């Protein structure tokens, strides 16, 4: 052991450390949850730690055991005897792409496992803790559960509802405009807000926009301003299959999904060109020759998208909001007054204040010279 | 001395205490500045403290000396020998409605006076500190100067420019709407935000609105939701002198100013009825048969208004903003999406983002379920 040892005063501080480590799995472990694990000796000393790697590679528990070995701990040896694993999500008990973590923890000779929260995956859902208890380990669940759920809010959403957690990003002035009447919007917010926006893109399994924004802004929809190991899926809502073949969204490597409301065969040459450009075309028709947005979310859920990041215009924003499909608003608000211009979302007109969309503020931070406001649907 | 004694560890904590006391003069001392004073013995013990009373009554320094006497300190006696007065604004040296505070401090036998900031009043402006120094007291100026200026931001504005500090209050949704298209706006924000708005009204020497808001909302423009010793002046911008005689703004006791752009004699019976209702009518005509808003601010400055609180509609808000007359935006933002509706301020349309109004965020707080955002003009 080269480094000077780290000691934890109590379970809470060990779990906090595991949660901080779990953030290292953002932009890496999707569609698997972000999990951190620390293994702590009876005297409070940190023996090993780690977080989930890319899908198919090691989970947090195995990374922590390997780290302990690398630091000189003898598995099944003196240090491990009586040790506790703090893990931010219940260890898996099933054989997926990797062997179950429960068996690794049992095999290492640990005495106790503390999990922040039960795994919502129906293949786990308490069976992991039961397996550990059956093997004679002390177990407990619930320490910093809210923080652990928040870190994997998309994974919990997908496991519990089949749908991704939908976060809608909007950059606006304080009078609620996203562009001038002439469409100019570059840049309402500053460079730190744009980088922060990419940090939220990085959390997402997919970034979604509409054909209107594709035409007006020709976005790339990738993660550029912050480092990432994974690039999210890029998704376009394009009812009539009008995405230009030279759209920038087709340029970066990786998969692009284009959801349309028509049979791509009716546009065979264009469809073929889009496919050649790397796009997968998916017909999910809803009412009025539009794409069925709820159907898109279900489809993205089956594709393993935990968090879905929306960057669209007022029309698509309005449709998603009217249908109640948005779980979080992420608003970068510049200290500017734009006067007449494009609105955040096409909604209403409403006749009474009882009809309007009510949310609750989650938090507010300064990002450079702009404010970042987050809101979630009000449930009452 | 009945209470257990309070000790200050250093000058900074004594001045902080004086600033906290000075807040007690809000809603009381206008048009005089809000000043706090603490007198501290050589061993750090608090001997006496106080803040400015109503105009014409005692200033902070005299209140603190009286408090010291009431607590048993013998002026000119042992305790006062070597003592320091911490005062949040330079003590006055001139005979106003009260005798100069400098003489009171000198007469009490103090050894040192620490002022947070120099008095911007040209009748004082350093002469107070000079008088104290000439009498042999140690003096210093500048401790917590920014905080002291902020507390009296309106007094500094009026002394330095002749104009009040203008704060514009707006209640809006997160998409920047102040009412639905049908005009409904009660209530976009919650009861805590409305009470907080009254706490800001209470700071003001005058509350101003326009004839449009008077007709639509018939506001009282008084301070009701928080206690206050003073009620601000009520001010209406009413170019054609159309304020109804039964407007609620005329109901509360106290003075009402109605600024118009026509000679009240041309509307003699109506003007007479408004005067009988307690209003003072003032003609300050500007361009296009409108009231000259800069002229109104100058007039309010001569009337001793330090902070001017604006609660108006989008037209008057737009005019004040276009003319650069607003020093602070105070926005209560509800977590709601209203869709089409009334805007915060009639501005633009702008052709480029370089033309739009740029501000800087000052702070952001949760007030009940709403956000309170404050912004000031960007100077760069």
């Amino acid at each position: 052991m080269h480094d000077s040892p780290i000691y934890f005063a109590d379970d809470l501080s060990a779990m906090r450390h595991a949660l901080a480590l779990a953030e290292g799995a953002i932009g890496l472990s999707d569609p698997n949850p972000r999990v951190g694990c620390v293994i702590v000796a009876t005297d409070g000393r940190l023996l090993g730690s780690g977080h989930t790697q890319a899908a198919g590679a090691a989970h947090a528990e195995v990374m922590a055991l390997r780290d302990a070995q690398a630091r000189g701990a003898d598995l099944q040896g003196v240090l491990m005897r009586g040790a506790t694993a703090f893990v931010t999500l219940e260890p898996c008990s099933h054989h997926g792409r990797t062997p179950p973590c429960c068996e690794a923890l049992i095999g290492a000779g640990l005495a106790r496992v503390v999990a922040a929260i039960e795994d919502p995956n129906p293949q786990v859902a308490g069976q992991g803790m039961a397996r550990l208890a059956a093997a004679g380990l002390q177990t407990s669940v619930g320490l910093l559960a809210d923080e652990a759920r928040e870190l994997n809010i998309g994974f919990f959403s997908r496991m519990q509802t089949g749908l991704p957690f939908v976060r809608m990003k909007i950059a606006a002035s304080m009078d609620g405009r996203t562009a001038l009447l002439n469409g100019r919007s570059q840049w309402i917010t500053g460079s730190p807000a744009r980088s922060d926006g990419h940090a939220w893109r990085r959390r997402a399994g997919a970034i979604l926009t509409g054909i209107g924004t594709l035409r007006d802004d020709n976005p790339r929809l990738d993660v550029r301003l912050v480092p990432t190991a994974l690039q999210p899926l890029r998704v376009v809502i394009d009812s009539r299959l009008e995405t230009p073949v030279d759209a920038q969204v087709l340029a970066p490597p990786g998969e692009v999904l284009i959801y349309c409301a028509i049979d791509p065969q009716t546009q065979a040459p264009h469809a073929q060109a889009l496919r050649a450009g790397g796009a997968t075309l998916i017909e999910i028709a809803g009412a009025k020759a539009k794409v069925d947005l709820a159907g898109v979310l279900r489809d993205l859920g089956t594709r393993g998208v935990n968090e879905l990041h929306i960057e669209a215009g007022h029309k698509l924003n309005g449709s998603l909001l009217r249908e109640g499909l948005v779980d979080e608003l992420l608003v970068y608000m510049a200290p500017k007054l734009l006067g007449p211009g494009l609105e955040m979302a096409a909604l209403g007109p409403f006749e009474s204040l009882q009809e309007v969309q009510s949310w609750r503020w989650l938090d507010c931070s300064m990002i450079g010279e702009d404010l970042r406001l987050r809101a979630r649907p009000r449930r009452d």
Side-chain angles (χ1 to χ4, degrees), chain A residues 15 19 33-36 61 86-92 113-121 124-126 128-129 140-153 155-156 160:
Chain A
M15 189 62 87
L19 277 165
R34 297 136 190 177
V35 184
E61 298 87 336
F86 294 88
V87 55
T88 63
L89 190 70
E90 180 188 6
C92 61
V113 175
V114 178
I117 192 166
E118 202 174 86
D119 191 327
N121 185 341
V124 186
M129 298 318 280
S140 78
V141 178
L143 186 63
L144 296 176
D146 289 346
E147 289 81 350
R149 185 187 295 107
E150 189 66 32
L151 180 66
N152 283 304
I153 195 160
F155 181 75
F156 275 78
Q160 290 169 339

Side-chain angles (χ1 to χ4, degrees), chain A residues 101-127:
Chain A
C101 294
C102 282
E103 303 309 320
L105 295 171
I106 295 164
L110 292 168
R112 188 167 72 117
V113 175
V114 178
I117 192 166
E118 202 174 86
D119 191 327
N121 185 341
Q123 292 184 286
V124 186
Q127 293 181 49

Side-chain angles (χ1 to χ4, degrees), chain A residues 202-289:
Chain A
R202 189 171 77 105
R203 296 182 69 102
I207 305 178
L208 181 149
T209 195
I211 182 66
T213 301
L214 205 71
R215 280 214 200 88
D216 295 345
D217 300 347
N218 195 12
R220 292 173 58 177
L221 297 189
D222 58 356
V223 179
R224 296 185 303 280
L225 304 178
V226 296
T228 186
L230 286 181
Q231 283 289 345
L233 267 175
R234 302 185 299 285
V235 180
V236 182
I237 304 297
D238 178 12
S239 293
R240 293 190 298 250
L241 209 53
E242 297 168 320
T243 298
V245 175
D246 62 353
Q248 285 205 94
V249 75
L250 298 170
E255 206 176 351
V256 179
L257 305 181
I258 302 181
Y259 289 93
C260 56
I262 60 169
D263 179 350
Q265 295 315 317
T266 63
Q267 305 280 329
H270 187 58
Q272 195 46 46
L274 289 173
R275 286 195 185 104
T280 301
L281 311 184
I282 305 162
E283 180 190 349
I284 303 190
K288 297 184 190 168

